[in-house]
Amino acid sequence: MRRARPGAAPRGTTAERTLTSVGTGADVERGAAPDEPGDLPRLWHITLSVSGAEAPLKEVRRGLEQLAHDHPFLLTSRYANDHAEIRYWEEARDLHDAAAVALRLWGEHRSTARLPPWEIVGLEVIDRGTYHQRLAEGYGPPPAAPVGVHPF
C-alpha cells in the first residue's frame, strides 16, 4: 500500500495545484468569510539568496537578466560567480503564500532562464510597512537603485 500526503493528487494525474494559506484558527472562530477585505492581496518585499558551484559571470548575468524579463516585478539582482541575491515585490494574501511563491521562483525559472543549478540558501519576506519602517530607521538594504542586474 502506498501512502500519499494529505491533499495530494493520485499518482499519474495532472491535477492543477493552487496555493492556499494555512489559517491561524482565529478566522474560523470569528466566522470570517474568505472574501472579506482582510484577505485581499498585500505587497511583500522578497529577498532571495542562492548559491552553489562557480559559474561564468557572463552566464550568471544573462540568466538573471532573462529572469528579470520573465518575472517583471524583479527590482534588482546582485551576483557573483558562486552566489546571487534577488530582490522584488510579490503580491500575495499572506506571508505563507508570498514565501511559497518565492521559494519556487528559482527552480521554476532555472531551465527557461538557463540559471545556474544553485540552491536557495536564504529567504526574507517582510510586509510593505516593515520594509518602509526599516528604511525610515536606517536599517535594512536601501531601496533598489539602480534597478537591474549588477555584480556585487
Side-chain angles (χ1 to χ4, degrees):
M1 175 170 99
R2 288 189 177 260
R3 292 186 181 211
R5 295 185 322 248
R11 294 184 82 187
T13 64
T14 57
E16 185 177 325
R17 295 178 189 244
T18 56
L19 291 176
T20 57
S21 298
V22 177
T24 61
D27 50 350
V28 174
E29 290 174 13
R30 71 171 195 268
D35 295 329
E36 288 188 4
D39 287 339
L40 293 176
R42 299 178 357 202
L43 284 177
W44 301 88
H45 187 266
I46 309 290
T47 303
L48 184 69
S49 300
V50 295
S51 74
E54 289 188 10
L57 284 176
K58 281 183 156 184
E59 290 182 24
V60 174
R61 180 181 181 91
R62 189 215 34 78
L64 290 171
E65 286 173 344
Q66 183 63 48
L67 178 62
H69 181 268
D70 295 346
H71 197 283
F73 296 105
L74 237 58
L75 289 176
T76 188
S77 297
R78 298 186 306 164
Y79 66 94
N81 61 349
D82 64 348
H83 66 283
E85 177 185 271
I86 302 163
R87 295 174 50 201
Y88 67 99
W89 289 98
E90 183 69 61
E91 187 176 70
R93 186 174 59 198
D94 60 23
L95 182 134
H96 295 97
D97 289 350
V101 171
L103 288 169
R104 290 195 332 246
L105 177 73
W106 189 261
E108 287 183 355
H109 289 275
R110 188 178 338 202
S111 62
T112 58
R114 296 192 317 254
L115 296 165
W118 295 343
E119 68 176 331
I120 296 172
V121 296
L123 173 66
E124 180 185 55
V125 181
I126 57 175
D127 68 352
R128 186 177 179 184
T130 302
Y131 176 81
H132 289 294
Q133 180 181 1
R134 282 184 181 179
L135 290 180
E137 294 174 352
Y139 298 109
V147 172
V149 177
H150 307 282
F152 271 104

